Amino acid sequence: MKPLVCMLLIALLAGCASPFTRVDSARVVVRERMEVKAEGDWNRYTPPGSKHREIWTQHGMPLDVLVFFTGVADGEALNDQVSADKKPPKFKATMSPEDVAALFENLIAGDGGRFELLQLEPHSVAGSEGFRFNFNYTARGEEIERAGLAIATVREKRLYALVYAAPRGRYFERGRAGAERLMDSLHIVGKP
């Protein structure tokens, strides 16, 4: 089952006892490694057992999701909650931007989904050399096409990334500016 779909199911199964907490409009530290300036109505959730992910949403996970990858170490999988016997692809600090984008493709739309990389370009991320990519995808078993954008950089052999996705059209465009402001405000903090 796709990681983003799994997160949705967890949120739905939690019912009234939502695992999400409100984010105030302020500078927010994410998993002691990243800091962003939050604006607007965001809610955050840290998947139990995850080493390096935190999920934010404004309108609920079916409608928008912003995933922080807070220092994925060399040799670790982006999906840190899949069993090792499934052999998920692992991040290598020597990967090219194209290879890192392919890791995200596998995470987002692997196992039968469809992924289209629209643009990949150099981009300054948290004051470091990095890259930005835009994409469309449809997860396996879904009919809804989603659009996404991501930024990523590698520091001290760790991958730091922010990935925003929402259904193409109204929902994506509605949240895009806020997601981009968060991405532009990103600082890497703390020790790896």
Side-chain angles (χ1 to χ4, degrees), residues 31-186:
R31 305 223 44 174
E32 300 178 356
R33 293 203 174 140
M34 298 168 90
E35 182 181 80
V36 293
K37 170 109 175 68
E39 300 173 1
D41 298 325
W42 289 98
N43 298 288
R44 71 194 292 185
Y45 169 70
T46 301
S50 175
K51 296 177 190 175
H52 53 249
R53 285 188 295 161
E54 183 166 297
I55 299 166
W56 288 24
T57 183
Q58 285 189 304
H59 304 102
M61 289 182 56
L63 302 179
D64 61 43
V65 64
L66 178 73
V67 183
F68 291 80
F69 291 85
T70 61
V72 180
D74 186 49
E76 285 185 340
L78 294 180
N79 184 359
D80 57 356
Q81 296 182 297
V82 69
S83 62
D85 63 322
K86 297 214 182 216
K87 300 188 189 231
K90 297 183 178 175
F91 165 71
K92 298 289 181 200
T94 57
M95 286 180 152
S96 68
E98 292 82 6
D99 292 336
V100 173
L103 275 180
F104 281 101
E105 174 181 352
N106 183 277
L107 175 70
I108 293 168
D111 295 334
R114 187 188 64 74
F115 185 95
E116 178 186 12
L117 182 63
L118 302 173
Q119 182 180 24
L120 173 66
E121 62 188 6
H123 186 77
S124 178
V125 177
S128 295
E129 287 184 25
F131 57 95
R132 173 187 171 119
F133 59 98
N134 295 21
F135 57 93
N136 290 332
Y137 77 98
T138 305
R140 179 182 68 148
E142 287 190 6
E143 295 180 15
I144 298 171
E145 187 172 47
R146 299 178 192 279
L149 63 97
I151 60 167
T153 188
V154 177
R155 279 197 188 171
E156 298 180 25
K157 297 187 177 183
R158 288 184 177 267
L159 175 67
Y160 296 87
L162 278 153
V163 180
Y164 171 73
R168 281 187 65 187
R170 177 179 168 215
Y171 284 106
F172 180 76
E173 292 307 324
R174 185 168 142 185
R176 180 181 192 147
E180 287 178 327
R181 281 192 300 276
L182 276 170
M183 291 175 177
D184 290 343
S185 75
L186 176 67

Side-chain angles (χ1 to χ4, degrees), residues 22-37:
R22 183 141 175 80
V23 176
D24 292 324
S25 292
R27 295 221 54 90
V28 178
V29 176
V30 178
R31 305 223 44 174
E32 300 178 356
R33 293 203 174 140
M34 298 168 90
E35 182 181 80
V36 293
K37 170 109 175 68

